[in-house]
Amino acid sequence: MGKLHIKKGDTVVVNAGEYKGQEGKVLEVLVSKNRAIVEGINMVSKHAKPNADNPQGGIVKQEAPIHISNLNLKDPSTGEATRIGRRAGDDGKLVRFAKKSGEEIK
């Protein structure tokens, strides 16, 4: 299995499925399942029992994981969806860069 192109904290654009075209911030990456949880994307209703945090219980909306292949990183300069490349930076470490603009991704 190769390295994933998405990291926690990245702003991504959904390129396929029900949420195509929407963007959000990556909250969590599930490496073993090749999935990511993105803020505001793939919302599902979960039935919650009453507990200390939610004494009322009821139906709670929360994000469900979405497959990594349906996500592209948002280009920092143009704001469009872009693919990711890796190249050696100034200090010799690998850095991610946007394929469309060539700009380095922090």
Side-chain angles (χ1 to χ4, degrees):
M1 183 170 78
K3 195 168 175 84
L4 300 179
H5 61 280
I6 304 259
K7 289 184 180 180
K8 180 179 176 178
D10 286 344
T11 303
V12 294
V13 179
V14 180
N15 60 17
E18 183 182 344
Y19 296 91
K20 183 176 182 174
Q22 294 184 24
E23 53 190 64
K25 187 176 178 183
V26 176
L27 302 175
E28 185 181 351
V29 177
L30 308 170
V31 179
S32 61
K33 296 181 179 178
N34 279 344
R35 292 179 172 270
I37 297 175
V38 182
E39 190 174 37
I41 305 293
N42 202 17
M43 299 296 284
V44 294
S45 298
K46 183 170 170 50
H47 297 269
K49 279 182 135 182
N51 58 26
D53 294 338
N54 186 6
Q56 184 65 34
I59 299 173
V60 179
K61 290 275 198 182
Q62 69 180 41
E63 291 96 353
I66 186 169
H67 201 272
I68 292 278
S69 66
N70 295 332
L71 301 174
N72 272 4
L73 208 74
K74 186 177 175 184
D75 195 322
S77 59
T78 63
E80 296 177 356
T82 182
R83 291 176 297 135
I84 296 301
R86 289 183 183 79
R87 63 178 170 214
D90 299 331
D91 56 355
K93 288 188 175 183
L94 282 181
V95 293
R96 298 184 306 161
F97 71 96
K99 292 258 187 168
K100 279 191 179 176
S101 65
E103 188 174 329
E104 212 171 275
I105 295 164
K106 305 294 183 248

